[in-house]
Amino acid sequence: MSQTPKPQLLPSIAEEAHCGTHLQPLQLFCDDDQTTVCSKCVQAPEHKQHAVYGIQEAAEYYRKLLQETLVILREKLEVVKSLLADEQERVVMLQEEEQRFKEMIRAEYKMRFLLLAEEMGRPFLRLSACTLDLDVKEPHQNLLRQFNAEFSHKSQEMLQKLSHLGRKNKSKLKANAVWVQKHLRSLQKNITELEKKWGEPAGALLQDAKRWLERSQSLLLQNLKPAQITDLSSSLVIRMDKALLRLQRHVTLDPDTAHPSLVLSEDLRSMGFGAIPQRLCDTPGRLDFSASVLGAGSFSSGRHYWEVSVGQAMQWQLGICDCTERKNNVPQASGDKYLLMGSMMGAEYTFWVFPPLRKVSLRKQMYNVGVFVDCGCGQVSFYNVTEQSLIYSFFDLTFRGTVKPIFSLCIPIGDMNSDSLTVCLPQMHS
């Protein structure tokens, strides 16, 4: 913390300035005119209605105002430093986010091509894992190349939009950082000069003291804000591929893993809270770190898709967890999970993905969420079934073997709520 500057010793009476008109000591200060005056000056008509104080009294008054202003300026300085650091960090984060979205686009269209190739009976593509290399000796090669070119065109078009938006956002962030840095330098200079002013003798301190306070106030009134940029996900509008519906699985909930606060439906497709926690057998696989339940089935290879109705839940999580090499085949609280999370506060919904925890931009409430996992390519994708669009993808993951669907609700505090999740039955969509 900055130390309070020590004032210089006040001059002696013998050193005091004298009035040029009356040759009297300038021992008074006219606050209206911001000038030092003598005892005869204040009797003049132009000063009779003015506020006049002893010079020492006035100096201490303004010294106190300067000190209070210095405290506020130093606080503002720290805020501006923090804002500048945030804006500079946002540039780096924006670049990382842009790169991540570009990889998501490539992974999504690569997956679409592989699904299309499999639908056309080209199993050789499955053996090539996640590549798009084509065997020129295969039949239908021209048709596959045509689709490959079409997908490449669509992905390139979206990548270009993403790059354009990224450049605009970076330009805004950098321009705002320049402005914030300029303001920071003004604050630092003003603080240094005000500290010097604070330590001056009474007569020198009173000279232009009001102007210095007004200048400082002007700096404090400047409202600095983070740059307003456009969410990159607004350019990431990828429609769901209907080929996913061929991969729908009949997922049910595993009652042996359900948290004691959860009640499962008879068909093992819905979960909600009971009036009181159930007294269940302490099975080795039961989850006790959140109101969660695993899917009854597991996947170790291939591609799989299922949908979950989330419209009746205020706070929920769903996705997959890697259960391989876990004790009793159950993940720990910090286990390898890839999740989409939704939370409603008032009338506003917020959506996040994990890991790491990132906010995702969705313009409307979701009612059904699609979950896709490709064990071979290490991809987990979430879809807004309501809007038929991609929400977010994890890619290049490494599963040790078995993965399971996982479903969670937020344990309520106080009154029990009516949150529930339901795994949808496989069905074709129009």
Side-chain angles (χ1 to χ4, degrees):
M1 180 180 293
S2 301
Q3 296 296 319
T4 300
K6 294 182 179 179
Q8 299 175 12
L9 293 176
L10 297 177
S12 65
I13 298 298
E15 297 172 332
E16 288 181 348
H18 286 68
C19 174
T21 303
H22 306 106
L23 302 179
Q24 297 291 318
L26 296 173
Q27 296 179 335
L28 301 173
F29 181 74
C30 177
D31 196 52
D32 293 77
D33 291 340
Q34 290 289 295
T35 59
T36 51
V37 293
C38 70
S39 57
K40 290 188 176 181
C41 287
V42 297
Q43 298 174 12
E46 60 268 24
H47 288 295
K48 279 192 174 180
Q49 302 300 320
H50 291 177
V52 179
Y53 306 94
I55 194 169
Q56 298 301 333
E57 179 187 4
E60 290 310 308
Y61 170 75
Y62 276 99
R63 203 184 303 279
K64 181 180 179 182
L65 289 181
L66 289 172
Q67 179 58 36
E68 292 173 350
T69 303
L70 275 169
V71 171
I72 301 173
L73 283 169
R74 292 180 189 124
E75 291 174 352
K76 179 69 175 287
L77 181 68
E78 295 305 312
V79 171
V80 174
K81 283 181 179 179
S82 178
L83 176 59
L84 178 60
D86 288 346
E87 293 298 87
Q88 293 170 339
E89 184 180 358
R90 287 175 75 194
V91 173
V92 177
M93 292 176 62
L94 181 69
Q95 292 171 337
E96 294 175 351
E97 184 179 44
E98 182 179 335
Q99 183 60 31
R100 187 170 67 252
F101 280 157
K102 286 180 177 179
E103 292 171 354
M104 280 175 54
I105 292 170
R106 295 188 185 101
E108 185 69 13
Y109 279 103
K110 189 181 293 183
M111 179 269 290
R112 292 179 180 221
F113 181 78
L114 292 174
L115 291 179
L116 176 65
E118 287 181 3
E119 191 172 10
M120 296 176 64
R122 306 273 71 80
F124 71 96
L125 283 170
R126 298 194 64 170
L127 299 177
S128 63
C130 304
T131 67
L132 295 184
D133 298 330
L134 298 178
D135 188 337
V136 294
K137 297 180 181 179
E138 282 289 325
H140 305 299
Q141 60 172 311
N142 290 334
L143 185 57
L144 284 173
R145 289 186 183 279
Q146 179 182 340
F147 280 117
N148 187 28
E150 180 182 343
F151 287 151
S152 295
H153 174 73
K154 288 181 178 179
S155 64
Q156 284 301 317
E157 190 177 55
M158 192 166 294
L159 289 171
Q160 289 173 2
K161 290 181 179 178
L162 190 63
S163 295
H164 176 69
L165 181 56
R167 286 193 297 271
K168 287 180 64 177
N169 281 344
K170 279 182 277 189
S171 178
K172 290 179 181 178
L173 286 170
K174 289 179 178 179
N176 195 50
V178 169
W179 165 241
V180 173
Q181 202 162 31
K182 180 180 178 182
H183 186 73
L184 180 64
R185 287 194 294 267
S186 296
L187 278 170
Q188 290 171 328
K189 181 180 179 182
N190 190 258
I191 288 172
T192 300
E193 293 173 342
L194 220 59
E195 286 175 340
K196 181 180 178 182
K197 187 71 175 174
W198 189 92
E200 290 179 341
L205 181 144
L206 289 172
Q207 186 177 3
D208 295 330
K210 190 172 185 179
R211 182 177 63 83
W212 278 104
L213 289 170
E214 290 173 348
R215 180 181 175 185
S216 301
Q217 189 64 24
S218 177
L219 279 173
L220 291 170
L221 288 175
Q222 291 187 34
N223 189 17
L224 301 182
K225 295 180 179 180
Q228 297 297 310
I229 60 176
T230 305
D231 197 310
L232 288 180
S233 63
S234 63
S235 65
L236 195 69
V237 183
I238 303 178
R239 310 306 300 176
M240 277 183 64
D241 190 341
K242 290 186 177 180
L244 288 172
L245 301 178
R246 293 189 294 103
L247 305 174
Q248 286 185 103
R249 304 294 180 243
H250 191 281
V251 174
T252 56
L253 309 177
D254 182 358
D256 289 336
T257 65
H259 186 277
S261 293
L262 294 177
V263 174
L264 308 186
S265 62
E266 290 186 7
D267 60 5
L268 299 179
R269 290 194 307 108
S270 296
M271 56 184 281
F273 291 106
I276 55 174
Q278 302 179 83
R279 293 185 177 180
L280 302 173
C281 298
D282 188 17
T283 59
R286 192 170 306 285
L287 302 179
D288 58 5
F289 57 81
S290 67
S292 303
V293 61
L294 295 177
S298 61
F299 310 115
S300 58
S301 62
R303 301 182 178 97
H304 312 274
Y305 175 78
W306 60 95
E307 295 179 358
V308 184
S309 174
V310 299
Q312 299 301 315
M314 303 289 284
Q315 292 182 305
W316 48 266
Q317 300 178 3
L318 55 90
I320 65 106
C321 63
D322 188 345
C323 298
T324 311
E325 299 179 2
R326 296 293 184 191
K327 185 179 180 181
N328 300 318
N329 205 35
V330 174
Q332 305 302 308
S334 58
D336 295 334
K337 301 187 290 291
Y338 301 92
L339 303 172
L340 174 70
M341 297 169 279
S343 176
M344 186 175 186
M345 299 295 289
E348 296 294 325
Y349 263 94
T350 304
F351 298 95
W352 307 79
V353 290
F354 175 85
L357 189 64
R358 294 189 183 105
K359 188 176 180 180
V360 294
S361 175
L362 292 173
R363 287 167 287 280
K364 296 181 180 178
Q365 178 184 355
M366 283 189 298
Y367 296 95
N368 282 17
V369 176
V371 184
F372 167 77
V373 57
D374 186 327
C375 297
C377 289
Q379 182 172 339
V380 177
S381 299
F382 298 99
Y383 296 90
N384 183 346
V385 179
T386 308
E387 296 291 316
Q388 292 285 294
S389 60
L390 174 70
I391 300 170
Y392 194 88
S393 282
F394 295 98
F395 42 86
D396 294 334
L397 305 176
T398 301
F399 302 132
R400 288 187 291 269
T402 301
V403 299
K404 285 176 172 283
I406 187 169
F407 311 86
S408 301
L409 292 170
C410 180
I411 298 177
I413 300 176
D415 295 338
M416 193 61 61
N417 61 35
S418 58
D419 280 12
S420 65
L421 294 177
T422 300
V423 186
C424 304
L425 288 170
Q427 56 183 324
M428 298 299 293
H429 295 262
S430 57

